[in-house]
Amino acid sequence: MSSRVLQVEIQPGAYPERARPHLGKLDQAAARMGSVVSRVWHGQRPTWNSIPGLVAVAALPLEGLDDRALRTHADELRRLLRREGLRRDLVARAFAIVREVAGRTLGLRHFDVQLMGGWVLLHGMVAEMETGEGKTLTATLPACTLALAGVPVHIITVNDYLAARDAEWMGPVYRALGLTVGVIKHGLDLKARRQAYAADITYCTNKELVFDYLKDRLVLGKRADAIHLQLERVAGQASRAQNLLLRGLHYAIVDEADSVLVDEARTPLIISGESGLSLEQAVYETALSLADRLQPEQDFFLERGERHIRLTEGGCGKLEEWCRPLGGLWTGRIRREQLVQQALTARHLFVRDRDYLVKDEKIQLIDEFSGRVMGDRSWEHGLHQMIETKESCPLTSQRDARARITYQRFFRKYLRLAGMTGTAREIRGELWSVYRLPVVSIPTNRPVRRTGPPDTVFPTAAAKWDAAVRRIQAVHRAGRPILVGTRSVAASEHLSELLTAAGLPHRVLNARQDEEEATIIAQAGELGRITVATNMAGRGTDIKLAAGIAESGGLYVLATERHEARRIDRQLFGRCGRQGDPGSYEVFLSLEDEIVQQFGRRASQVAALFQVRRGRPISSWLGAWIFGQAQRKAERVHARMRRDILKMDEQLETTLAFTGRLD
């Protein structure tokens, strides 16, 4: 990392962020070529391997020091880092002090591979570290080094639970060095958020951070430069800077970088306000009634992968005929077709207990990546009201966008960006072309002992669930803890009913039990424990094995569906076999699974060939081909969607910059 960036003096009232030019076609082509060059170059650099030796030498003067003397060393290092920047010897010294402090406060000393990972993060790259290798502890190395150098640090993770857990867990290390730590969680008021962002190191989720940034953009308005903010202070005016939440975008470490920077980049983040365009509930009811009369494959086509409905000419003709007696807004072709398309989307593409919950007569969105409820979030363009009508919930008012941004454009605004994840190699080209982030694979501290056979694929979902219950029974008799992964709330509750009928005690972790998450995870590694979970038990979840469990084979993970990205599957498997512990996983699938229905239509033809063998698995090679094809198609579709969103976002940015409007 260049010390020049770190030594920039931040003027009072300034909002430091990078002005990122968007990429033309030639730039994008060069970026794709550059990803190959960067992969080879950074993969062969010996720098990462030498850092443990440098830290070991820097640690020699620390031996035998008491806590007060160690703090004196940290204070001296703080002055040197701020004056001279991130010199190689100073970084090694900082890492040595952080490791020593972690050993004293947490009983954990960074392994050599974690020192290598910290060095990679410090230099603005993505460290690919195997699941269970201690990324949380690794992040303290660059975070403390930069915070001592006077740089505000954001450590970004995928949910509130992990943000709070990691801040509390690593807090003693920061405080021992005289650093402050803050946590941003959903529900905090503005004052508490401002205080958390004022800390040296702030833990937060990607969604909360981006929405807080958008709030700052609304406060700043058109004239957001440091000069105008400083003039307000000099003139004694009510400074907008006093109402800002963040101190700018200096340095960020993105945990689970592939999820945040790639998977979730398909959805723009929008702050909305009350709209005067809300329709009466009768309009939505009429649209749903009309949609129910249309025939799939004849009047409309479902494009499930892209969550899009396309009306045919015949379908449009029927609507025109049916709406003629209705009059009013139904006489306008564009308006009636938009309303019916929204109704079809609500009926066919958004499923209760998969995409949303109904609680206290309110629609609560479920995050497809984390499995958690997204409070105070809603769909736009009337879709939310259409789903409220579909579920017979009271109608909320429609909202209009006031500020918006995509993850791609937001994270490129950081002066320095780094990331860490266990699954980055498949999308290293995209990380480089969009964010200019090279990926460096870090070796494991101990050999991985995780095992897993080929997937088992059944013709029907019923056969899959029956086989899953039998396998859970068998593993449970051996006393091993079991984690069963499902893709939706509905699937987790369906399996729960089957396990209850089989007399198997278990716990369910999904969006309905989010308040019990910490307790359920803490018990998931105990003898004979069965845990059925959505993605809430995926990324970042550390299941501690109870005494004697490793000797009996460790944690057993059973996946009951494939996700739309192979990396997400690997995250689930990574809950077992961590830090050299034994562990195993299996995958039970069916040809009726959602990913096959959406992205593997040919499989429906194949399924007919196996009806005579109902309940028996199909050959492993054929199952691997079917699901491999479906996942590759899903990944291509989503990659295209991300490119389209980024292109649209950059065009919008250009338009708004020309008109002088906000993001």
Side-chain angles (χ1 to χ4, degrees), residues 517-563:
E517 178 176 8
T519 301
I520 294 174
I521 293 300
Q523 298 172 347
E526 296 176 353
L527 179 69
R529 181 73 64 173
I530 301 173
T531 307
V532 178
T534 60
N535 282 353
M536 289 180 68
R539 291 180 180 274
T541 303
D542 190 8
I543 297 177
K544 303 290 186 182
L545 299 183
I549 297 299
E551 289 73 18
S552 64
L555 180 69
Y556 170 80
V557 174
L558 177 62
T560 58
E561 281 193 68
R562 282 284 183 181
H563 289 80

Side-chain angles (χ1 to χ4, degrees), residues 35 39 125-131 135 254-259 261-263 419-432 437-442 539 566-568 570-571:
S35 69
R39 179 163 61 234
M125 305 179 191
V126 172
E128 185 182 47
M129 303 176 67
E130 181 68 34
T131 55
K135 293 188 289 293
V254 183
D255 193 9
E256 308 299 350
D258 60 320
S259 177
L261 300 178
V262 175
D263 293 333
M420 52 187 183
T421 180
T423 47
R425 66 182 70 103
E426 296 94 337
I427 41 89
R428 65 197 315 166
E430 185 169 349
L431 288 172
W432 174 261
L437 283 173
V439 175
V440 177
S441 295
I442 306 297
R539 291 180 180 274
R566 289 164 287 180
R567 292 172 291 102
I568 303 178
R570 289 205 285 130
Q571 286 287 343

Side-chain angles (χ1 to χ4, degrees), residues 88-105:
R88 186 183 178 89
D89 60 317
L90 295 180
V91 170
R93 185 173 165 185
F95 280 21
I97 292 175
V98 175
R99 183 172 67 172
E100 181 66 26
V101 168
R104 297 185 185 189
T105 58

Side-chain angles (χ1 to χ4, degrees), residues 3 11 29 46 65 89 135 175 262 300 307 434 448 471 480 498 547 600 604 618:
S3 61
Q11 298 295 329
L65 295 180
D89 60 317
K135 293 188 289 293
R175 287 188 286 272
V262 175
F300 65 93
R307 285 198 168 177
V434 175
V448 178
R471 182 56 53 86
R480 293 176 62 185
L498 296 177
S604 60
I618 68 174

Side-chain angles (χ1 to χ4, degrees), residues 391-404:
E391 299 292 352
S392 302
C393 294
L395 212 61
T396 58
S397 59
Q398 194 168 327
R399 305 175 73 84
D400 279 341
R402 292 184 177 176
R404 60 176 288 154

Side-chain angles (χ1 to χ4, degrees), residues 116-173:
M116 295 163 61
W119 186 270
V120 167
L121 294 174
L122 192 67
H123 286 75
M125 305 179 191
V126 172
E128 185 182 47
M129 303 176 67
E130 181 68 34
T131 55
E133 288 296 297
K135 293 188 289 293
T136 302
L137 184 62
T138 300
T140 60
L141 295 164
C144 289
T145 303
L146 287 166
L148 288 170
V151 178
V153 176
H154 295 161
I155 300 181
I156 302 161
T157 190
V158 292
N159 60 63
D160 285 348
Y161 166 73
L162 293 177
R165 184 203 69 178
D166 294 352
E168 181 179 1
W169 187 14
M170 299 295 114
V173 177

Side-chain angles (χ1 to χ4, degrees), residues 48-106:
W48 338 126
N49 297 325
S50 64
I51 187 62
L54 294 173
V55 174
V57 172
L60 294 175
L62 306 179
E63 295 179 359
L65 295 180
D66 59 20
D67 291 348
R68 179 175 295 182
L70 189 62
R71 174 66 179 271
T72 300
H73 269 261
D75 291 340
E76 179 187 355
L77 178 63
R78 183 197 301 263
R79 291 189 292 272
L80 290 172
L81 286 170
R82 296 191 180 201
R83 186 172 68 244
E84 301 181 28
L86 295 183
R87 278 192 351 227
R88 186 183 178 89
D89 60 317
L90 295 180
V91 170
R93 185 173 165 185
F95 280 21
I97 292 175
V98 175
R99 183 172 67 172
E100 181 66 26
V101 168
R104 297 185 185 189
T105 58
L106 305 178

